[in-house]
Amino acid sequence: MERASGILCHITSLPAPQGIGTLGRTAYRFIDFLHGAGQRYWQMLPIGPTTYGDSPYQSPSAFAGNPNFIDLDMLADEGLLDIEDYADFDWGDDPQRVDYQQIYRHRQAVLQLAWQRGRDRDRRQVDAFLQEQAFWLPDYALFVALKRHFDQQPWYTWPEDIRSRQPQALEHYRQLLREQVDCAVYIQYLFFKQFVRLKRYAGKKGVLLFGDTPLYVALDSADVWAQSRLFCLDEQLRPTAVAGVPPDYFSATGQLWGNPLYRWEQMAAEQYSWWIERLRVAFSLFDLLRIDHFRGFAGYWSIPYGDRTAAGGHWEKGPGLNFFRAVVTELGRVSIVAEDLGVLTDDVLQLLEETGFPGMKVLEFAFGGGPDNLYLPHNHTPGSVVYLGTHDNDTLAGWIATAPRKTLQHAQAYLGAAQPRLLADSMLRAAWQSVCDLAIVQVQDLLGLGSEARMNTPSTASGNWTWRLREGQLTPALQEQLRQMTELYGRIVAEKEQSAGEGGHNRPNFERADR
């Protein structure tokens, strides 16, 4: 990576008028802000569909895009909707919070109306899109239709014939639900069309899109249902082992995530084709990709299914370097950031060295200990990405308000901040000064917001993923201030070097027929 910087802001947090951030006008204005502020990267959280709990890290598909991000005003501009079709809906009464219940209540009906008006008009482009995404889209679209047919019940509670994907059952439901399947395909077409258009605009502005891919997939997902042989399931399609992390100084019982584990030996026998196709789709949308819980490729914690905590798990060996060799063979050079936070064992450190992928340094983890803390700026290394905090941490202002006194005293002394109120600016400057190639700040921290703007509190079931920007918060003065600091610390990418692509690796051909 070149020396550069960027802002972490999930699409949901943009101030669009439809209750949730979208791929519409405010996304384009955010790119304009990044360009004017000299920022090279827009980092997002995972962009897949969300379900119960609203977490982008627990999606029913490792490939699909979130229909909530489709901008309705843009559909109206294309003649697929009239403004009256959606303007009077109640999308929520707090412009700074996503009301997912209201989104769920109204959005599908509006998108279905767009499908009814556009399915004949766009048939050629949709058929081409479906053919290009044939690895995953037919199964996903049928999965969506089946979920609605069975009142959103998990696939593992469906009748046995369709749960186990018996051929006659698949054909029966494809015919029975063919319109719902067609609608699900069309909605994905709309999402990819809008996203690729946004990426093209970002490329023209010299802004690169930085995505995020969870290591594991949800049990109730199209992927596990359609590719059950690739996951640790028994003959009744029940998990035999699930994911998590072992006990540590954060938790005496570890963390029980519950995601089904991969059957890596089967993945290897199939040349890791599922993962390669997953990354191929991701790199058609993003220029750089963070892989969450990267350590799972070296070794992963396997917990017997049914255990109430993670304490009874054990380590299993991951696929290691052979996996990434297969990826490079199929996709060529890929731009990946490894989420390598937490306690790292020798096998993880070796895999990081062998792949050469950048790791992460988080300043909120740097203080309160000794000078050998790897997150302290004097221990940073080139080829890394430095953050003030991530989506799982409190905002910087919230951290300063609640951190132990010893931690704050250490931070003040280290950064030369005479008072705690000066720490936020000092930490932002420390990130930009760092020798790490890339520096990322959450948009909440750029605005100096407190804990009320926190994106996620791990191990809590509600109140997460809802925070949103207000119109006008990203001011020209803030833009200029950030640009000056970015220039001062050598993170502006020269215009002649700005070579962001318009469609990414292996971009979908349907874009060429874009109206």
Side-chain angles (χ1 to χ4, degrees):
M1 295 184 294
E2 72 270 87
R3 183 170 174 82
S5 57
I7 296 177
L8 169 58
C9 178
H10 195 35
I11 295 173
T12 57
S13 297
L14 296 173
Q18 298 147 17
I20 192 170
T22 70
L23 299 168
R25 293 177 180 85
T26 54
Y28 286 77
R29 289 204 295 268
F30 186 68
I31 290 172
D32 291 341
F33 178 87
L34 291 167
H35 174 70
Q39 303 310 295
R40 180 66 159 160
Y41 289 91
W42 175 4
Q43 184 174 355
M44 306 171 187
L45 303 183
I47 58 171
T50 56
T51 56
Y52 177 78
D54 312 312
S55 172
Y57 292 89
Q58 290 286 344
S59 177
S61 174
F63 297 82
N66 192 332
N68 293 338
F69 297 164
I70 297 171
D71 188 76
L72 304 184
D73 290 338
M74 293 179 74
L75 298 186
D77 291 342
E78 295 181 33
L80 294 172
L81 295 173
D82 296 320
I83 293 178
E84 294 77 14
D85 293 329
Y86 57 89
D88 294 333
F89 283 129
D90 177 9
W91 299 108
D93 56 10
D94 184 350
Q96 291 187 264
R97 296 286 170 188
V98 179
D99 187 334
Y100 286 102
Q101 184 175 0
Q102 293 296 90
I103 299 294
Y104 179 79
R105 182 174 297 166
H106 302 306
R107 240 178 186 278
Q108 177 62 31
V110 178
L111 293 175
Q112 188 164 338
L113 183 59
W115 161 70
Q116 291 169 351
R117 292 176 179 168
R119 57 180 172 175
D120 293 333
R121 185 194 76 177
D122 298 332
R123 177 54 58 192
R124 181 171 62 87
Q125 295 96 321
V126 175
D127 285 347
F129 172 67
L130 179 60
Q131 183 177 359
E132 289 177 348
Q133 307 297 331
F135 183 85
W136 65 274
L137 185 51
D139 284 321
Y140 170 74
L142 180 57
F143 178 84
V144 170
L146 286 164
K147 288 282 284 187
R148 294 202 181 96
H149 181 72
F150 293 118
D151 297 322
Q152 300 300 328
Q153 293 301 306
W155 67 265
Y156 44 84
T157 67
W158 295 348
E160 194 279 333
D161 60 346
I162 190 61
R163 181 174 74 245
S164 60
R165 294 176 57 85
Q166 295 177 15
Q168 66 272 21
L170 289 172
E171 182 59 27
H172 167 72
Y173 283 107
R174 286 190 187 110
Q175 293 301 318
L176 178 68
L177 305 174
R178 61 183 180 277
E179 290 213 334
Q180 294 93 319
V181 170
D182 186 67
C183 180
V185 169
Y186 188 76
I187 288 172
Q188 286 302 303
Y189 163 75
L190 294 177
F191 172 89
F192 276 74
K193 181 180 178 181
Q194 288 194 1
F195 200 103
V196 170
R197 184 182 296 168
L198 181 73
K199 187 178 190 299
R200 187 189 315 135
Y201 183 80
K204 291 177 179 177
K205 291 287 186 175
V207 172
L208 300 176
L209 300 187
F210 183 178
D212 195 340
T213 293
L215 175 61
Y216 296 116
V217 300
L219 174 59
D220 188 22
S221 66
D223 309 289
V224 180
W225 173 66
Q227 310 281 352
S228 60
R229 71 192 182 284
L230 301 178
F231 298 87
C232 293
L233 308 178
D234 63 19
E235 293 181 356
Q236 286 73 45
L237 301 179
R238 295 173 302 195
T240 57
V242 295
V245 292
D248 56 20
Y249 50 79
F250 293 112
S251 171
T253 59
Q255 297 179 39
L256 176 61
W257 297 338
N259 308 76
L261 294 173
Y262 297 113
R263 189 171 281 139
W264 282 114
E265 68 279 4
Q266 183 63 37
M267 289 267 191
E270 299 181 22
Q271 290 77 51
Y272 302 105
S273 59
W274 181 87
W275 258 101
I276 287 169
E277 292 305 316
R278 181 185 187 186
L279 292 175
R280 192 192 309 276
V281 171
F283 279 114
S284 74
L285 302 177
F286 293 104
D287 302 283
L288 179 64
L289 200 64
R290 187 190 89 130
I291 297 184
D292 192 50
H293 199 59
F294 178 85
R295 71 143 301 121
F297 289 105
Y300 57 92
W301 192 246
S302 174
I303 306 163
Y305 181 66
D307 280 13
R308 293 179 178 273
T309 75
H314 63 276
W315 287 110
E316 293 275 1
K317 186 176 177 60
L321 191 62
N322 287 337
F323 169 82
F324 293 103
R325 285 175 174 152
V327 170
V328 171
T329 297
E330 290 297 319
L331 301 183
R333 182 179 178 182
V334 290
S335 299
I336 287 174
V337 170
E339 186 274 290
D340 59 344
L341 305 177
V343 179
L344 302 182
T345 50
D346 290 343
D347 56 344
V348 184
L349 296 174
Q350 180 180 347
L351 184 59
L352 282 167
E353 182 177 356
E354 289 171 339
T355 60
F357 295 149
M360 295 172 57
K361 311 295 182 185
V362 179
L363 289 186
E364 285 188 16
F365 299 160
F367 304 104
D372 58 344
N373 186 314
L374 294 178
Y375 299 128
L376 284 167
H378 70 265
N379 292 322
H380 291 182
T381 55
S384 300
V385 184
V386 58
Y387 293 80
L388 281 75
T390 74
H391 64 278
D392 282 332
N393 305 130
D394 203 345
T395 65
L396 187 56
W399 177 82
I400 292 169
T402 58
R405 182 179 179 184
K406 176 185 175 182
T407 300
L408 292 179
Q409 288 176 337
H410 182 201
Q412 287 180 244
Y414 187 95
L415 298 170
Q419 300 175 12
R421 65 181 178 84
L422 302 176
L423 267 178
D425 182 69
S426 297
M427 288 179 71
L428 180 59
R429 289 181 176 275
W432 259 237
Q433 290 168 348
S434 169
V435 296
C436 292
D437 290 339
L438 179 56
I440 298 287
V441 58
Q442 284 193 102
V443 69
Q444 297 97 311
D445 294 335
L446 185 63
L447 293 167
L449 301 178
S451 298
E452 74 283 352
R454 182 170 182 163
M455 197 65 175
N456 180 51
T457 303
S459 301
T460 60
S462 62
N464 298 312
W465 319 111
T466 65
W467 177 81
R468 298 182 67 202
L469 281 161
R470 294 196 318 269
E471 284 282 2
Q473 280 187 294
L474 298 177
T475 64
L478 181 63
Q479 183 183 57
E480 180 58 26
Q481 180 183 354
L482 182 57
R483 183 177 186 90
Q484 289 178 4
M485 188 177 70
T486 304
E487 288 179 335
L488 181 65
Y489 297 120
R491 293 192 179 276
I492 295 283
V493 178
E495 292 290 335
K496 65 180 181 180
E497 299 176 18
Q498 293 189 347
S499 57
E502 295 188 358
H505 305 264
N506 306 299
R507 70 179 183 268
N509 287 331
F510 74 87
E511 179 214 345
R512 298 169 194 151
D514 185 4
R515 292 174 182 266

